[in-house]
C-alpha cells in the first residue's frame, strides 16, 4: 500500500474501512482465486513444528520401505538390491571434499563438482541402507562423508555454482535428516548444519532467472536445508519462489495465449517469452519451458517440483493440490512421447531429444496413488523404468522410497 496517496480525515477512514473489509472477506474471495495466483505472502507455508526426518522421505515412508524389503516384496526388493549394488552404498568409499568447488558450464571446469554430488548421493544412499538394515556401519559411513565435507568446504564458484549448490544441497539434507533423527552417533551434526547455512543456503535461497530447472533445483535445496535447520523464514521464502516458478515452468491452457513469467524474470513481451520457451510458439497442457530444449533438463525440473511438494506434504502443508493439474499434465505429455507416440510438427518442430530419466515415481505416487488421478502414460513409463536408479546429480532410488508408498 502506498501511504503517500492517502489523504487525511475522511480519506484515511475510508482506507482503514477498506482494509478491515478486506481482512474479513479474504477467506471467501480466496476460494475463488486460482491457487497459483493467490498472494504468496498470504500463504506462509512453514509448519509450527517441523517433522523429522522430513526431507523427501518421512519415518512412516521409511518404515513402509523397510517392511517391504524385509518381506522380499516387489518392486522394493529389486530396487533395494540395485541400490546396495551401486557404488554409492560402498562401505569403503572415501570422501573427496574440497574447500572450493568450481563448476563451469556443463561442469567445465570440474573441480570437485562430480565428487561433491556423488558424495552427497552416497551419504543419502548409506542413510537409506542404515534405516533398512539397522546395520550401524552404514550410518557410520554416512556420517564420515558428511563430516569430511563440513570440515572443509567454504564456497562454490564459476558459472554453474548456483546449480551445483542446488544439486548437492538437495541430497545432503535428505541424508542428514535420516541420520540425525534415527541414529545416535553424530557429534558433528551442528557443524554440518553450519555448513548448510553458510555455504549452501545463501547460494540457493534467492533463486535464478536462468532456465527453470535451475531455480527449481535451487529451491529444492533451500526447502530441504530449511527443514534441517528449522528455519521458517527461509522455508517460506523458498515456497514463495516455488509458487512463482511452477506456473512459469509448466503451461496449462487456463494460462491463456502465453505461458506465465516468473516474478522478477523481466520477460514482458511475447517474443521474449517464446524465446525463453526455446522458440516454441504453440502451447498445450503440460508443455514445459524446457521441453524443446530436451527431455532430460525437463525431467530435472519436474523431479524438483515433485520433491518440493513431497517435502511440503511431510511438513504438514501440502503443496500438491496447488500444482497437481500442471504436474499431471506435464508428466503425462512427456511420458506419452517418450513411450513412442509420434511428435506433431507443432511441438518442437516434430522432434524431441533425450529422455526424462528416473524422475516419475514421486509425482506419480502422489498424484495417482494418493490423489486418485488417472495417469495412464505416466504409469506405463514409471512401471517400465523400474527400478528407477540415480541420475548421479540429485535423483536416487525413488522406486525404493516412493513406489506405491501410501504414507
Amino acid at each position: 500500500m502506498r501511504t503517500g496517496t492517502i489523504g487525511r480525515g475522511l480519506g484515511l477512514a475510508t482506507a482503514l474501512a477498506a482494509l478491515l473489509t478486506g481482512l474479513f472477506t479474504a477467506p471467501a474471495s480466496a476460494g475463488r482465486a486460482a491457487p497459483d495466483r493467490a498472494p504468496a505472502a498470504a500463504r506462509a507455508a512453514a509448519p509450527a513444528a517441523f517433522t523429522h526426518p522430513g526431507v523427501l522421505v518421512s519415518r512412516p515412508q521409511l518404515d513402509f520401505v523397510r517392511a517391504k524389503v524385509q518381506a522380499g516384496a516387489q518392486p522394493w526388493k529389486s530396487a533395494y538390491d540395485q541400490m546396495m549394488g551401486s557404488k554409492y552404498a560402498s562401505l569403503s568409499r572415501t570422501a573427496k571434499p574440497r574447500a572450493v568447488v568450481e563448476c563451469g558450464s556443463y561442469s567445465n571446469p570440474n573441480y570437485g563438482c562430480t565428487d561433491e554430488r556423488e558424495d552427497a548421493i552416497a551419504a543419502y544412499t548409506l542413510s537409506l541402507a542404515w534405516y533398512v538394515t539397522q546395520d550401524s556401519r552404514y550410518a557410520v559411513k554416512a556420517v564420515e562423508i558428511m563430516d569430511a565435507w563440513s570440515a572443509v568446504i567454504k564456497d562454490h564458484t564459476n558459472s554453474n555454482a548456483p546449480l551445483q549448490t542446488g544439486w548437492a544441497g538437495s541430497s545432503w539434507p535428505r541424508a542428514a535428516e535420516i541420520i540425525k533423527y534415527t541414529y545416535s552417533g553424530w557429534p558433528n551434526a551442528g557443524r554440518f548444519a553450519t555448513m548448510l547455512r553458510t555455504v549452501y543456503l545463501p547460494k540457493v535461497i534467492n533463486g535464478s532467472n536462468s532456465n527453470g530447472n535451475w531455480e527449481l533445483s535451487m529451491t529444492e535445496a533451500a526447502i530441504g536445508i530449511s527443514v534441517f535447520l528449522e528455519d521458517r523464514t527461509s522455508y517460506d521464502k523458498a515456497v514463495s519462489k516455488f509458487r512463482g516458478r511452477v506456473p512459469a515452468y509448466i503451461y496449462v491452457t487456463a494460462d491463456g495465449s502465453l505461458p506465465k513469467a516468473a516474478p522478477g524474470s523481466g520477460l514482458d513481451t511475447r517474443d521474449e517469452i517464446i524465446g525463453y520457451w526455446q522458440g516454441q510458439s504453440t502451447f498445450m497442457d503440460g508443455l514445459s519451458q524446457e521441453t524443446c530444449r530436451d527431455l532430460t533438463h525437463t525431467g530435472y525440473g519436474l523431479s524438483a517440483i515433485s520433491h518440493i511438494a513431497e517435502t511440503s506434504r511431510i511438513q504438514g502443508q501440502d503443496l500438491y493440490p496447488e500444482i497437481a493439474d500442471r504436474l499431471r499434465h506435464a508428466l503425462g505429455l512427456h511420458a506419452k512421447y517418450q513411450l513412442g507416440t509420434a511428435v506433431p510438427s507443432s511441438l518442437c518442430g516434430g522432434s524431441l531429444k533425450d529422455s526424462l530419466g528416473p524422475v516419475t515415481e514421486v509425482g506419480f505416487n502422489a498424484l495417482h496413488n494418493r490423489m486418485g488421478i488417472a495417469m495412464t502414460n505416466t504409469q506405463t513409463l514409471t512401471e517400465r523404468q523400474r527400478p528407477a536408479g540415480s541420475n548421479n546429480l540429485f535423483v536416487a532410488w525413488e522406486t525404493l522410497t516412493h513406489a506405491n508408498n501410501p504414507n
Side-chain angles (χ1 to χ4, degrees):
M1 186 170 64
R2 293 179 296 174
T3 56
T5 64
I6 299 176
R8 297 181 179 180
L10 183 59
L12 180 58
T14 301
L16 180 59
L19 175 61
L20 291 173
T21 300
L23 288 173
F24 286 114
T25 60
S29 63
R32 295 193 297 271
D36 57 30
R37 293 175 186 169
R43 294 180 292 132
F50 286 92
T51 297
H52 303 291
V55 176
L56 187 61
V57 289
S58 65
R59 189 183 294 268
Q61 287 176 320
L62 291 167
D63 287 339
F64 173 86
V65 170
R66 185 167 184 246
K68 290 296 186 183
V69 172
Q70 288 180 332
Q74 297 297 353
W76 305 276
K77 181 58 166 63
S78 62
Y80 171 78
D81 290 342
Q82 175 197 43
M83 180 184 81
M84 297 303 287
S86 76
K87 63 184 178 180
Y88 298 118
S90 172
L91 289 170
S92 62
R93 185 179 191 89
T94 300
K96 299 178 180 177
R98 282 177 176 259
V100 177
V101 175
E102 182 181 353
C103 306
S105 182
Y106 294 94
S107 292
N108 181 25
N110 182 341
Y111 298 134
C113 316
T114 301
D115 292 338
E116 181 189 31
R117 295 192 303 262
E118 294 193 349
D119 277 348
I121 291 173
Y124 175 54
T125 301
L126 291 157
S127 71
L128 290 172
W130 144 250
Y131 200 90
V132 172
T133 64
Q134 295 295 291
D135 182 338
S136 63
R137 293 178 301 164
Y138 294 106
V140 168
K141 179 57 71 170
V143 167
E144 177 188 305
I145 292 170
M146 290 189 286
D147 282 355
W149 279 90
S150 70
V152 171
I153 189 166
K154 301 299 181 186
D155 199 9
H156 298 84
T157 64
N158 213 318
S159 58
N160 262 27
L163 182 60
Q164 171 72 18
T165 310
W167 281 340
S170 294
S171 297
W172 286 131
R174 296 178 207 158
E177 281 280 299
I178 294 172
I179 295 299
K180 182 175 180 179
Y181 292 99
T182 72
Y183 177 72
S184 60
W186 192 13
N188 289 319
R191 189 178 75 196
F192 191 82
T194 298
M195 176 193 81
L196 292 180
R197 182 176 295 282
T198 61
V199 179
Y200 289 81
L201 190 58
K203 279 284 198 295
V204 297
I205 192 62
N206 293 316
S208 165
N209 287 322
S210 186
N211 282 300
N213 83 85
W214 276 54
E215 182 159 272
L216 288 163
S217 289
M218 292 163 68
T219 302
E220 179 185 348
I223 289 275
I225 290 168
S226 296
V227 170
F228 187 71
L229 298 178
E230 297 196 328
D231 184 334
R232 301 182 81 253
T233 300
S234 292
Y235 187 99
D236 282 343
K237 185 170 183 178
V239 169
S240 180
K241 285 287 181 187
F242 177 78
R243 284 170 162 155
R245 175 57 67 174
V246 174
Y249 194 70
I250 301 170
Y251 174 86
V252 289
T253 53
D255 293 339
S257 62
L258 285 174
K260 295 174 179 291
S265 68
L267 302 175
D268 53 14
T269 69
R270 176 181 174 84
D271 287 349
E272 287 174 344
I273 291 172
I274 289 174
Y276 186 60
W277 283 64
Q278 322 298 324
Q280 177 72 6
S281 58
T282 302
F283 302 99
M284 60 209 71
D285 281 327
L287 185 75
S288 158
Q289 180 255 318
E290 297 186 272
T291 301
C292 296
R293 181 185 185 187
D294 58 66
L295 296 192
T296 300
H297 285 87
T298 299
Y300 299 165
L302 300 184
S303 180
I305 289 170
S306 301
H307 293 167
I308 293 164
E310 190 73 3
T311 294
S312 81
R313 187 190 64 84
I314 294 168
Q315 295 305 323
Q317 192 155 358
D318 195 349
L319 295 175
Y320 276 119
E322 296 181 24
I323 54 95
D325 195 51
R326 293 181 191 276
L327 184 58
R328 76 174 179 93
H329 278 302
L331 289 171
L333 178 77
H334 297 91
K336 177 174 73 172
Y337 293 118
Q338 187 169 325
L339 289 167
T341 297
V343 182
S345 60
S346 60
L347 177 59
C348 309
S351 177
L352 294 172
K353 295 189 296 183
D354 302 335
S355 63
L356 290 173
V359 303
T360 61
E361 289 277 16
V362 175
F364 174 70
N365 185 54
L367 301 182
H368 177 70
N369 294 331
R370 294 198 198 110
M371 298 178 71
I373 298 171
M375 301 176 71
T376 304
N377 289 317
T378 306
Q379 181 169 359
T380 299
L381 180 62
T382 300
E383 293 176 350
R384 181 178 296 184
Q385 293 187 152
R386 285 177 176 166
S390 176
N391 69 355
N392 305 310
L393 299 174
F394 70 106
V395 176
W397 325 124
E398 294 181 358
T399 296
L400 176 66
T401 56
H402 287 85
N404 303 325
N405 197 321
N407 297 294

